[in-house]
Amino acid sequence: MNLQYFLWLFSIFIVQQTRGQFEPAQHCDPNKCLPPDCRCSEDRSPPGGLPPEKTPQIIMVTFDDDFEKRSFDLYNELFDELRNPNNCSAMGTLFICQNYTDYFLVETAYSMGYEIADHTVTHQEPTTYWERANFTEWKNEIDGEKEILHRFANIPYDEVIGFRAPFLMFTENMFKALYTSKFGKFTYDLSWPANVIFDGKGPMYPYTLDYLSSQTCPTIDEPCPKLSYPGLWEVPNVNLMNKDHSTCASMMDGCDPSGNYTVWLEILTRNFHYHYDTNRAPFGMHMHPTFFLTTPDHMKAAKQFLKYALDLEDVWILTPSQIVAWMKDPQDVEQAKTFAPWQCPSRPKPRCTEETAHNCHYTEPGDFYMRTCTPCPPHFPSPTDPDGN
């Protein structure tokens, strides 16, 4: 048997095994889908029967793609002096991909309290690559980046529990890969855009994929999951909306990129109140570092908005993993101040310093640099060789 034929047979075996693990998702039955590990997508009320006025309003701030010093400095500037009602520093979530990432800074950010999440190894173009990627390709990309984050940034495997798809191009194969990761299934995905629903009930809350989702599919090809993934949370990527209730964008840098301070302060404040004044579903500020590089007004507006929100005293800036923990164990505005998952994290310092970090340079598959506290591997890490050996 030649190698090519063997690999073909093996791939067929893997696909068949994967198919056998999943059942078609049914419409959600609220009598069967019970907390803490199941929640119907149709349920737009605060968890645990909390009344909206007693529900903490959460803001999640997330950043995508490779992570370099310029990004690190911008994000630290945004969060500088921002504190939650329990006096812990406000922090965001970094969805990391491999190319050009400085893993010494990832390790440093993690030690400070940032959540580190998976955004695939290559984040390659075109976008259709992800739409057409098979299960094995998704699995290599997702598990590969998790391995890279562990090996080169010292992030514990069980701390990398969130994922966002490149270009928000999620598919059924992606969800299969998240659910069957060799490190254990991921806790949440944050790839699925959702418009605010202007019916008085408020935006969508996070929910689990045990059952069919009621969330609108974003493309004609409908990549939305049709299979059941018990206990896997979907955190809706609620879009920023225009005044006429049309969609502006899923990511902040895609919504009025030339807007000045006044424009952006209005956009953020108005969209925040679509959440705060209704059901208090988590409000997301999702962006790439380019949002802050377009004009200094964007940083000024974002900082002013976050200060305004925190001054309301029942608003928290948290990570998606902290949101899921709260969805499973809801706390009201007073109880939240002593809620264990929302307390200040205690994490080890980076294993090295700026002076002792290893600066790795590679010319294949392109001209790449990588800084890490781990000794440089002989090869640039890839989806099929995340160790670089």
Side-chain angles (χ1 to χ4, degrees), residues 118-169:
D118 193 326
H119 197 39
T120 73
V121 177
T122 65
H123 198 298
Q124 62 184 281
E125 296 184 40
T127 58
T128 51
Y129 170 81
W130 302 100
E131 186 177 3
R132 298 166 183 167
N134 61 33
F135 168 76
T136 301
E137 289 166 330
W138 272 109
K139 192 170 181 63
N140 287 341
E141 287 276 0
I142 292 169
D143 281 353
E145 184 57 30
K146 189 165 185 172
E147 180 64 53
I148 290 169
L149 288 166
H150 174 72
R151 182 169 292 271
F152 298 107
N154 202 36
I155 313 299
Y157 290 122
D158 59 3
E159 291 281 306
V160 183
I161 60 174
F163 180 77
R164 178 179 278 148
F167 312 106
L168 306 182
M169 188 61 70

Side-chain angles (χ1 to χ4, degrees), residues 81-287:
E81 298 182 356
L82 295 181
R83 291 192 171 273
N84 283 314
N86 62 358
N87 206 38
C88 291
S89 297
M91 286 292 167
T93 298
L94 310 177
F95 287 93
I96 301 291
C97 55
Q98 158 70 342
N99 296 351
Y100 308 108
T101 284
D102 184 330
Y103 287 99
F104 165 69
L105 291 182
V106 174
E107 189 167 341
T108 303
Y110 172 76
S111 73
M112 294 170 60
Y114 284 87
E115 178 179 12
I116 308 301
D118 193 326
H119 197 39
T120 73
V121 177
T122 65
H123 198 298
Q124 62 184 281
E125 296 184 40
T127 58
T128 51
Y129 170 81
W130 302 100
E131 186 177 3
R132 298 166 183 167
N134 61 33
F135 168 76
T136 301
E137 289 166 330
W138 272 109
K139 192 170 181 63
N140 287 341
E141 287 276 0
I142 292 169
D143 281 353
E145 184 57 30
K146 189 165 185 172
E147 180 64 53
I148 290 169
L149 288 166
H150 174 72
R151 182 169 292 271
F152 298 107
N154 202 36
I155 313 299
Y157 290 122
D158 59 3
E159 291 281 306
V160 183
I161 60 174
F163 180 77
R164 178 179 278 148
F167 312 106
L168 306 182
M169 188 61 70
F170 60 92
T171 70
E172 192 83 75
N173 281 326
M174 182 203 83
F175 286 107
K176 289 180 182 179
L178 291 176
Y179 201 80
T180 60
S181 169
K182 69 179 182 180
F183 304 106
K185 76 177 179 185
F186 278 68
T187 297
Y188 72 86
D189 169 66
L190 211 171
S191 304
W192 195 338
N195 280 335
V196 174
I197 305 168
F198 293 97
D199 61 359
K201 296 180 181 179
M204 295 186 77
Y205 263 93
Y207 59 91
T208 62
L209 292 169
D210 298 60
Y211 293 89
L212 279 174
S213 173
S214 61
Q215 196 167 338
T216 303
C217 288
T219 69
I220 296 174
D221 293 327
E222 295 196 355
C224 303
K226 302 295 190 297
L227 301 176
S228 173
Y229 304 96
L232 178 61
W233 287 81
E234 184 63 34
V235 180
N237 190 333
V238 179
N239 294 324
L240 293 175
M241 309 299 289
N242 295 311
K243 291 180 181 179
D244 64 0
H245 295 180
S246 62
T247 304
C248 191
S250 303
M251 308 294 284
M252 287 169 59
D253 34 301
C255 178
D256 201 348
S258 61
N260 61 20
Y261 167 79
T262 303
V263 168
W264 264 101
L265 185 59
E266 189 279 331
I267 290 172
L268 291 170
T269 304
R270 173 170 46 80
N271 276 273
F272 168 79
H273 278 282
Y274 292 151
H275 299 243
Y276 187 77
D277 296 344
T278 56
N279 64 350
R280 299 204 174 178
F283 173 63
M285 295 172 63
H286 309 299
M287 68 197 88

